[in-house]
Amino acid sequence: MSERKYFGKLREGAEPPNLIEVQLDSYVEFLQSDVPLAKRKDTGLQAVFKEVFPITSYDEKVTLDFGSYEIGEPKLSIREAMREGQTFSAPCTSLSCSRKSTAPRKKRFTWGKFPS
């Protein structure tokens, strides 16, 4: 039996990338939950909120401005969520300022839950 001959310089193939890690890193970058409020870039979820706000009522008497957002702590642990058949998620809340004519009022809104 003859031995295999290699004519190239590389004998081993390249290591495949960890695609799960790429997705997780992208998701963390999208949320920016570990970045302080003052240092968040206008990308990801921050950019979405800034694009949508301010929201003005149809009669233009009330305006809702965006302040900041936070991703809260999950109510269940991973094991509890699996055991109870629930989604492992955390609430997303934002601090917004609503203005009626001239009187501004700050209020916290819950926008939904994000997978954690």
Side-chain angles (χ1 to χ4, degrees):
M1 197 164 208
S2 65
E3 204 169 302
R4 184 177 284 210
K5 294 183 181 179
Y6 291 98
F7 295 99
K9 294 181 181 179
L10 300 176
R11 292 198 177 255
E12 294 181 19
E15 185 71 29
N18 184 349
L19 298 178
I20 298 291
E21 184 179 348
V22 172
Q23 285 184 327
L24 289 174
D25 291 346
S26 175
Y27 188 64
V28 167
E29 186 179 329
F30 172 77
L31 291 181
Q32 298 185 67
S33 58
D34 58 339
V35 179
L37 300 176
K39 293 186 178 183
R40 286 190 179 151
K41 299 175 188 173
D42 280 344
T43 60
L45 192 56
Q46 180 81 12
V48 171
F49 276 124
K50 287 201 170 192
E51 182 179 322
V52 171
F53 284 89
I55 300 172
T56 306
S57 66
Y58 70 94
D59 59 358
E60 297 185 358
K61 290 184 179 179
V62 179
T63 303
L64 187 64
D65 291 322
F66 171 71
S68 62
Y69 73 91
E70 291 180 356
I71 306 296
E73 292 296 319
K75 291 184 180 180
L76 302 173
S77 70
I78 295 173
R79 288 188 187 266
E80 290 171 337
M82 288 174 64
R83 185 175 54 238
E84 295 180 17
Q86 300 289 320
T87 302
F88 182 61
S89 60
C92 176
T93 59
S94 72
L95 182 62
S96 300
C97 181
S98 62
R99 292 180 287 167
K100 287 184 180 181
S101 302
T102 58
R105 204 174 90 184
K106 289 187 179 183
K107 189 172 181 182
R108 186 161 298 280
F109 294 94
T110 300
W111 295 102
K113 295 182 179 180
F114 283 88
S116 296

